[in-house]
Amino acid sequence: MNYFKLPLLLLLLLVTACNSISEKSGNSENWWKEGIVYQLYPQSFKDSDSDGFGDFKGIIEEIDYLDELGIDIIWMNPFFESPLVDNGYDVSDYRSILERYGSLEDFKQMIDLLHSRGIKFVLDIVVNHSSNQHEWFKQSRSSRDNPYRDYYHWWPAEKGEPPYRYSIFDPEGAWKYDELTDAYYLHYFAAEQPDLNWENPKLREEVYDIMNYWIEIGVDGFRLDAFQFASKDTSFPEFPEGHEKDFIQWYGMRPELHDYLKEMNEEVLSKHDVFAVAEGAGKTMKDAHELVDEDRKELQMVYHFETVDMAKQPNSFSLKQFKEIFSKWDEAFSEKGWISVFLSNHDNARMVSRFGNPNPEFRTPSTQLLNTFLLSMRGTPYIYFGDELGMTNIDMPTIDQYVDIQAIGDYKKAEARGEDMNAFMEYLNYSSRENSRTPMQWDETLNAGFSTGTPWKKVNPNYPSINVAQQEADPNSVLNHFKKMSQIRKANKVLVYGDYEIIQEEHPTVYAFKRFDEQSSHTILLNFSETNSEITLDEAFEGKTPLINNYEQLQIESNTIVLLPYQAVVFDLTLE
Ligand code: NOJ
């Protein structure tokens, strides 16, 4: 044995041990893991020039509000040049800003201001498809030998009708015939959103240039819209019967997707301190892991759809299922990789209307409970604007009130299937994404203080009882609870990186779990019920003051706690 080598060996062992500890605790530390993301839907946030449409100057006016929330990152939905067929997810120029939001100067001013408050900015990049008004598409459709032809997917009509492809928005399917060149083009979403051809390296280079352009301007990250569809089987085989609509299984996530992401990482992400989060986590857990495995150098984060796919029908929420989904995803990423945690966004109904209780009696505590949950789970929490107030679904019982392309498309599809349209409207009223796009409720004045013009979308009539002004003045409001909870997450890193362990998984009404590491241990108790719930735990809680409690009282007797309706408490049980 060479004794000179012994200290080196010990050092090596120590380093390996340290590495495995840090990997175990959710791998390396990072700002985008620790940050609280606030999703801001710009059309509906604040209108500064009375055109009924939110804008950058409106956001600038509310900088103190954003700062005081304690959020760290803003993800803003698309604000680019667009005919707005799908509210901006149909981009006609990726480098220009839609005038209604303001100028590039306004945008830069907004970003600088956010940065000066320590808030990062994430842009929504929509590159599975563009608008049919994009110059690329105009060129592409103009002739079969145009240099941009291969920027999209075309099926020449002489080959006969293309194999059926379901479209998420278009009741006519995903192929649209275009007379000009006697060919069909592919569009997984609306006919106005033709799918881009990622097999074409020129297209990919264009996208990376666009991403680098926005990084130069100051953005700190990207949300990749519908990106798992970017790689598809372009031999366009017929799908086995019965699988024509099996979107996740058949329509995207081809192995080449990883190659594109690696390339994107090389060309863009790895060169800067930015992160990318993909919409969708693939078909399987393996897919999800591969997308965010740090060693593979693809993405930093994904978000899965299992939570949004649950509780789609009125009164269908199941706490058992909710616990199972969150525990399963946490477990899968406990050693490696990172996910996001969210309960709502612009494509879903309001958080409190689906997972909590929007009735006036329980709206406040149940929203507080859901925000406590989001801010105490492992993963980066994404808070959808208005959920910090407990904004609810809006009542829209008839189809003529809807403007959203998806809602209208779904209605037509249901009609064509001969469904009971009354039942369908009940479903749509509850689950439609229009519910979450209503303007921000600032105060009790005209249009909830969102705009002095005519809002592009009706304000929820409940704004006199749910608004920022009123909640700022009430120490027990949903808003003030949110602010407190965001500070607690920041002050307790164990809530970000610590291990997660569910307690009494079978409890019918209480979701209880621990977050812990070598130094500390927190217990979170959430009563998802309109009535009191009792839970007996291993630890004695008597004499312990919770870090946060959405009621003034807390009934504890030794190891037993009786939680009030939707009571949510976080205990720091770290032993001194
Ligand atoms: C997902 C976006 O979140 C949604 O709003 C949009 O309609 C589709 N992708 C198409 O871009």
Side-chain angles (χ1 to χ4, degrees):
M1 180 88 181
N2 182 343
Y3 289 99
F4 289 112
K5 282 198 179 148
L6 197 58
L8 197 70
L9 201 72
L10 284 174
L11 188 73
L12 216 84
L13 282 174
L14 195 72
V15 170
T16 325
C18 289
N19 280 348
S20 66
I21 288 171
S22 78
E23 254 179 31
K24 173 90 188 73
S25 58
N27 47 56
S28 60
E29 299 195 350
N30 236 308
W31 62 265
W32 43 263
K33 291 180 180 167
E34 287 167 30
I36 299 171
V37 179
Y38 185 72
Q39 186 195 343
L40 193 154
Y41 199 65
Q43 265 165 269
S44 298
F45 194 66
K46 187 76 191 272
D47 172 22
S48 73
D49 58 3
S50 308
D51 66 352
F53 209 80
D55 46 48
F56 299 147
K57 285 202 167 118
I59 296 165
I60 291 171
E61 277 172 23
E62 296 302 340
I63 188 72
D64 288 338
Y65 175 77
L66 294 167
D67 197 358
E68 283 161 21
L69 284 178
I71 51 137
D72 309 280
I73 303 167
I74 284 184
W75 151 28
M76 189 176 287
N77 297 86
F79 47 79
F80 312 101
E81 198 68 59
S82 161
L84 298 183
V85 170
D86 181 20
N87 279 16
Y89 282 91
D90 46 323
V91 179
S92 52
D93 183 350
Y94 293 97
R95 285 188 175 81
S96 303
I97 287 168
L98 188 68
E99 219 183 317
R100 293 192 216 178
Y101 291 118
S103 63
L104 183 60
E105 279 321 301
D106 299 333
F107 179 76
K108 286 182 179 163
Q109 197 192 338
M110 177 186 74
I111 293 242
D112 288 348
L113 198 58
L114 289 170
H115 285 163
S116 73
R117 305 291 183 107
I119 301 173
K120 307 254 189 191
F121 186 90
V122 170
L123 169 148
D124 205 327
I125 183 141
V126 192
V127 284
N128 168 64
H129 46 269
S130 74
S131 158
N132 62 349
Q133 298 307 308
H134 196 292
E135 191 53 32
W136 296 338
F137 190 71
K138 288 185 186 165
Q139 293 286 336
S140 183
R141 75 177 283 254
S142 66
S143 76
R144 286 192 181 192
D145 52 13
N146 187 283
Y148 287 89
R149 188 66 169 181
D150 288 346
Y151 272 43
Y152 296 87
H153 300 281
W154 291 96
W155 179 275
E158 60 273 18
K159 279 171 71 181
E161 283 218 2
Y164 177 77
R165 288 293 181 272
Y166 177 79
S167 160
I168 299 175
F169 291 166
D170 190 345
E172 306 293 320
W175 288 107
K176 171 114 177 137
Y177 178 68
D178 191 19
E179 252 179 23
L180 201 61
T181 54
D182 191 28
Y184 299 81
Y185 68 85
L186 186 73
H187 63 89
Y188 278 178
F189 293 90
E192 295 85 350
Q193 295 167 295
D195 280 38
L196 288 160
N197 178 10
W198 273 76
E199 285 176 12
N200 183 346
K202 279 201 224 136
L203 178 268
R204 301 203 300 272
E205 271 313 310
E206 300 250 24
V207 172
Y208 307 146
D209 283 354
I210 291 164
M211 293 172 87
N212 282 320
Y213 168 82
W214 286 106
I215 291 176
E216 286 283 297
I217 289 180
V219 312
D220 307 288
F222 300 92
R223 177 244 187 207
L224 299 177
D225 182 74
F227 201 70
Q228 53 191 343
F229 299 135
S231 163
K232 27 183 95 70
D233 185 346
T234 52
S235 67
F236 295 115
E238 295 280 353
F239 290 150
E241 224 179 292
H243 286 279
E244 297 83 355
K245 292 185 190 167
D246 210 342
F247 233 79
I248 299 295
Q249 184 65 25
W250 299 102
Y251 283 65
M253 274 313 288
R254 304 281 301 170
E256 294 76 23
L257 191 84
H258 295 292
D259 301 332
Y260 304 154
L261 288 171
K262 280 198 177 91
E263 190 179 63
M264 182 187 285
N265 191 298
E266 252 168 56
E267 302 268 330
V268 184
L269 306 174
S270 64
K271 295 186 174 157
H272 314 271
D273 185 18
V274 297
F275 81 98
V277 53
E279 183 194 24
K283 296 190 278 250
T284 59
M285 258 328 164
K286 182 172 175 282
D287 283 343
H289 274 120
E290 289 183 352
L291 290 168
V292 296
D293 182 333
E294 284 183 16
D295 298 334
R296 291 172 61 97
K297 302 204 180 336
E298 296 184 21
L299 295 167
Q300 283 68 38
M301 236 188 273
V302 286
Y303 61 86
H304 68 80
F305 272 74
E306 281 198 57
T307 337
V308 298
D309 287 342
M310 74 174 292
K312 283 266 188 204
Q313 298 288 343
N315 305 316
S316 62
F317 174 73
S318 145
L319 179 60
K320 184 173 185 300
Q321 193 187 6
F322 189 87
K323 288 183 190 181
E324 277 166 8
I325 291 173
F326 280 98
S327 302
K328 177 177 92 181
W329 280 87
D330 181 86
E331 163 72 29
F333 286 84
S334 57
E335 306 272 318
K336 205 172 196 198
W338 197 253
I339 51 167
S340 47
V341 178
F342 71 103
L343 289 175
S344 178
N345 61 28
H346 65 293
D347 289 332
N348 291 283
R350 277 284 172 191
M351 172 179 90
V352 65
S353 301
R354 285 178 69 200
F355 304 111
N357 190 326
N359 298 329
E361 193 186 349
F362 298 117
R363 183 181 48 75
T364 296
S366 71
T367 316
Q368 290 169 332
L369 168 142
L370 295 171
N371 284 330
T372 307
F373 170 73
L374 284 170
L375 295 170
S376 52
M377 284 297 281
R378 174 157 52 184
T380 300
Y382 282 62
I383 312 296
Y384 186 59
F385 92 98
D387 283 349
E388 75 278 23
L389 304 175
M391 279 174 61
T392 68
N393 277 359
I394 185 169
D395 189 29
M396 289 178 35
T398 55
I399 192 67
D400 52 293
Q401 294 165 283
Y402 288 74
V403 291
D404 173 36
I405 188 157
Q406 180 169 35
I408 295 167
D410 284 353
Y411 184 88
K412 286 186 189 151
K413 287 178 191 168
E415 235 178 5
R417 287 193 298 265
E419 273 187 31
D420 168 353
M421 293 313 282
N422 288 330
F424 179 80
M425 277 316 299
E426 233 177 82
Y427 154 77
L428 195 66
N429 196 12
Y430 167 78
S431 70
S432 133
R433 57 188 195 167
E434 299 225 14
N435 281 306
S436 57
R437 298 180 175 189
T438 61
M440 179 71 168
Q441 296 169 198
W442 292 102
D443 54 37
E444 280 186 43
T445 63
L446 178 74
N447 300 325
F450 160 68
S451 170
T452 49
T454 308
W456 75 277
K457 182 137 191 53
K458 192 178 156 202
V459 175
N460 194 319
N462 64 15
Y463 73 86
S465 50
I466 306 174
N467 63 64
V468 173
Q470 181 210 60
Q471 294 200 17
E472 276 179 340
D474 172 3
N476 298 321
S477 66
V478 177
L479 179 61
N480 279 317
H481 174 272
F482 179 87
K483 291 181 186 173
K484 194 169 169 197
M485 192 59 216
S486 64
Q487 292 314 320
I488 289 175
R489 186 175 179 88
K490 282 190 212 314
N492 294 271
K493 265 199 180 178
V494 63
L495 294 179
V496 177
Y497 296 112
D499 278 340
Y500 159 96
E501 187 185 298
I502 192 159
I503 304 170
Q504 295 180 30
E505 195 165 358
E506 300 306 319
H507 197 296
T509 50
V510 175
Y511 190 169
F513 56 95
K514 271 189 196 171
R515 299 297 315 281
F516 61 97
D517 56 23
E518 284 90 15
Q519 290 83 38
S520 46
S521 172
H522 287 46
T523 295
I524 295 96
L525 304 174
L526 310 167
N527 178 19
F528 275 78
S529 158
E530 284 181 13
T531 52
N532 291 359
S533 294
E534 198 176 293
I535 182 160
T536 302
L537 298 141
D538 291 342
E539 298 92 334
F541 285 80
E542 237 161 352
K544 290 266 178 197
T545 315
L547 291 177
I548 191 163
N549 175 6
N550 60 344
Y551 281 83
E552 261 154 35
Q553 61 274 52
L554 183 61
Q555 207 181 311
I556 309 180
E557 247 176 62
S558 178
N559 294 19
T560 300
I561 300 192
V562 181
L563 295 162
L564 298 167
Y566 298 103
Q567 186 159 21
V569 281
V570 178
F571 282 101
D572 178 356
L573 297 180
T574 308
L575 296 172
E576 274 94 45

